Amino acid sequence: MSRVSGWLDRVGARLTEAGKRLEQRRAEAQRGVREDEVAEREGAPEFVPSLDHTPLVQPRPDPAQAVPWGVRVAAEVGWRLLVLAGTVWVLMRVISAVQLVVLAFAASLLITALLQPTVARLCRIGVPRGPATALTALFGFVVIGLIGWFVTWQVMENIDHLSDQIQDGIDELRNWLLNSPFHVTDKQINEIAKNLREAVGANTEQITSAGIEGVTVVVEALTGILLAVFSTLFLLYDGRRIWEWSLKLVPAAARPGVAGAGPAAWRTLTAYVRGTVVVALIDAIFIGLGIYFLDVPMAVPLAVFIFLFSFIPLVGAVVSGALAVVVALVTQGVFTGVMTLVVVLAVQQIEGHILQPFILGRAVRVHPLAVVLAVTTGGMVAGIGGAVVAVPLVAVINTVAVYLRAYSREAAARQAVRPRGVTALSSAQAGTPVSTNTEPPVPVEGRQPGDTRDP
């Protein structure tokens, strides 16, 4: 029995040791599993789903890149044109509101451009600027007043005789129409005359109101004349200081270019006014002599009208010439009217092809299409005054644009970086001047940008 109990004790002890070893191995196995899971979580990459099973999403393009290039360019140009059109519209509205002031000041500029060289000559010979300005302005306004008085006097002196000649001319024209190959009857002529009388009678109220409005026009004209006189006096006496004050309103970066463009524009305006006066005077003298020898009544007032209308390019010559032809046709008959037309056309052809290119030269070069458009636009905006001012305004704008473009090119060339090495050698061999000055060009009065002559 003792052997059996001892054997059972040894079996129980071995079973106990085997259970402990089993528990120990189980704990080690669980510890190893936990360590493997931690290692997998720390080092394993994230799960990325297969692209074969993921929907493809294209990135949205930039809206600016999605618009075609041509459309973008058209849009950029379009909104800039809209801004310019709005600016021009506002400017036109402002000018229309103060039309009398604008036209008076423009007229004073034209008169100043005509008289300022005389003031400069008097100052050079030692006359103080104040007396020189007063003498020149007095002489100029006296001449203009005498011209106006002479025209009015001639018209009033010849109006009765002219009305009789017009009546005789109408009768002669009626007889010519009755005997002409156009087969015009006396009844048709009477019907035309009756319709004219009825039209005048029906529009009596409009004619009366126009006469009342004419009083207002006279008052406005006198106001504009006084304003132009005072503006001319101040521009002749203090024009340089007025220009220097105006330059202070320009931004500093653009001031050098504007300071050079101003004298260039003034030279263009002066050349235009001088040339136009000379051409208009030649037209008036030769056409006046022609109609005088053709025995057309009021030849001298018609010559003065031709001189004044010549300040409106193209249109003025046509209107004044047509007026002379009509007066000759009505008062002296068909032959005299035709001869007057020949004289007018001959003088205007010589003026357009010889006088204007020779007298005005390259100082005032404006395309005929620009002249027609400018005169038409000026006439629509401000009447006869706008038509007179339109062409010199276009000439001045053209001069300023050309000067500023040349100035910007010269400034860019002066600010260019000096080439080095092989580039400098090739430039020297090619004869290209290399500029080392980085300052913008300083305009010299009397010189154009790019002029290499000594001032």
Side-chain angles (χ1 to χ4, degrees):
M1 287 297 290
S2 57
R3 292 180 180 177
V4 173
S5 59
W7 182 75
L8 291 173
D9 291 336
R10 287 195 293 273
V11 172
R14 291 178 179 174
L15 290 173
T16 301
E17 292 177 0
K20 290 180 180 180
R21 287 197 294 270
L22 183 60
E23 290 292 335
Q24 186 178 1
R25 290 177 181 176
R26 184 180 297 166
E28 291 177 355
Q30 291 179 356
R31 192 182 308 113
V33 170
R34 291 193 187 98
E35 291 177 357
D36 293 340
E37 291 178 354
V38 172
E40 288 178 0
R41 280 198 300 268
E42 291 179 354
E46 295 182 359
F47 174 74
V48 179
S50 176
L51 295 177
D52 296 337
H53 303 285
T54 304
L56 183 61
V57 179
Q58 295 289 345
R60 293 184 177 181
D62 185 7
Q65 300 296 329
V67 180
W69 182 81
V71 177
R72 279 188 287 163
V73 172
E76 293 283 341
V77 174
W79 74 259
R80 285 176 171 84
L81 290 178
L82 288 177
V83 171
L84 289 176
T87 304
V88 172
W89 182 82
V90 172
L91 183 62
M92 290 296 102
R93 297 288 293 180
V94 173
I95 291 175
S96 299
V98 291
Q99 178 178 336
L100 179 63
V101 178
V102 173
L103 290 180
F105 185 73
S108 66
L109 283 175
L110 296 177
I111 298 173
T112 303
L114 181 62
L115 300 180
Q116 191 270 337
T118 305
V119 176
R121 291 191 188 96
L122 291 177
C123 291
R124 281 196 295 268
I125 64 177
V127 181
R129 191 164 190 85
T133 301
L135 290 174
T136 305
L138 182 63
F139 175 76
F141 292 132
V142 166
V143 170
I144 294 174
L146 287 176
I147 292 174
W149 169 80
F150 181 77
V151 172
T152 305
W153 173 62
Q154 286 290 313
V155 171
M156 297 301 296
E157 283 289 326
N158 295 279
I159 189 67
D160 296 333
H161 179 62
L162 180 64
S163 61
D164 295 336
Q165 286 186 321
I166 289 176
Q167 185 63 42
D168 295 339
I170 291 175
D171 294 338
E172 183 179 350
L173 181 62
R174 177 177 179 176
N175 295 328
W176 181 80
L177 288 174
L178 290 174
N179 298 321
S180 67
F182 299 109
H183 304 291
V184 179
T185 62
D186 194 9
K187 182 178 179 181
Q188 291 175 335
I189 295 176
N190 292 332
E191 285 291 332
I192 294 173
K194 181 180 178 181
N195 292 332
L196 290 175
R197 286 194 297 268
E198 291 178 354
V200 173
N203 296 301
T204 304
E205 296 182 358
Q206 288 81 354
I207 296 174
T208 305
S209 62
I212 297 175
E213 291 178 358
V215 178
T216 306
V217 171
V218 171
V219 174
E220 291 182 353
L222 292 176
T223 304
I225 290 172
L226 292 177
L227 183 59
V229 169
F230 280 108
S231 300
T232 302
L233 289 174
F234 285 112
L235 288 173
L236 286 173
Y237 180 74
D238 232 5
R240 182 177 296 275
R241 283 195 287 181
I242 294 173
W243 169 246
E244 292 174 354
W245 177 84
S246 301
L247 282 178
K248 296 178 182 179
L249 304 177
V250 180
R255 196 171 298 164
V258 176
W266 183 251
R267 287 191 296 272
T268 298
L269 183 61
T270 304
Y272 173 82
V273 174
R274 288 182 186 175
T276 304
V277 168
V278 173
V279 171
L281 189 61
I282 293 174
D283 281 355
I285 291 175
F286 283 96
I287 295 179
L289 289 175
I291 61 179
Y292 175 78
F293 286 115
L294 289 172
D295 201 19
V296 177
M298 293 198 308
V300 177
L302 286 174
V304 175
F305 278 115
I306 291 170
F307 173 78
L308 296 177
F309 275 91
S310 295
F311 284 89
I312 306 176
L314 298 181
V315 179
V318 174
V319 173
S320 59
L323 179 62
V325 172
V326 169
V327 172
L329 177 65
V330 173
T331 58
Q332 299 296 325
V334 177
F335 176 77
T336 305
V338 172
M339 294 304 298
T340 304
L341 178 62
V342 171
V343 171
V344 170
L345 291 178
V347 173
Q348 289 181 355
Q349 290 299 315
I350 295 173
E351 170 219 331
H353 294 87
I354 298 176
L355 295 180
Q356 282 191 352
F358 178 74
I359 296 174
L360 296 179
R362 299 180 60 89
V364 183
R365 174 165 290 187
V366 181
H367 196 275
L369 178 61
V371 172
V372 173
L373 294 178
V375 171
T376 305
T377 304
M380 293 175 62
V381 173
I384 297 178
V388 173
V389 175
V391 176
L393 178 62
V394 171
V396 167
I397 292 175
N398 180 51
T399 300
V400 171
V402 171
Y403 182 93
L404 292 179
R405 183 167 62 248
Y407 175 84
S408 62
R409 290 176 181 173
E410 187 172 348
R414 288 177 179 268
Q415 294 176 356
V417 181
R418 182 177 181 179
R420 300 177 181 274
V422 180
T423 306
L425 182 60
S426 60
S427 299
Q429 292 176 352
T432 304
V434 179
S435 176
T436 59
N437 185 12
T438 58
E439 296 180 357
V442 179
V444 179
E445 185 173 356
R447 292 181 63 188
Q448 295 290 339
D451 192 355
T452 57
R453 296 175 297 176
D454 293 334

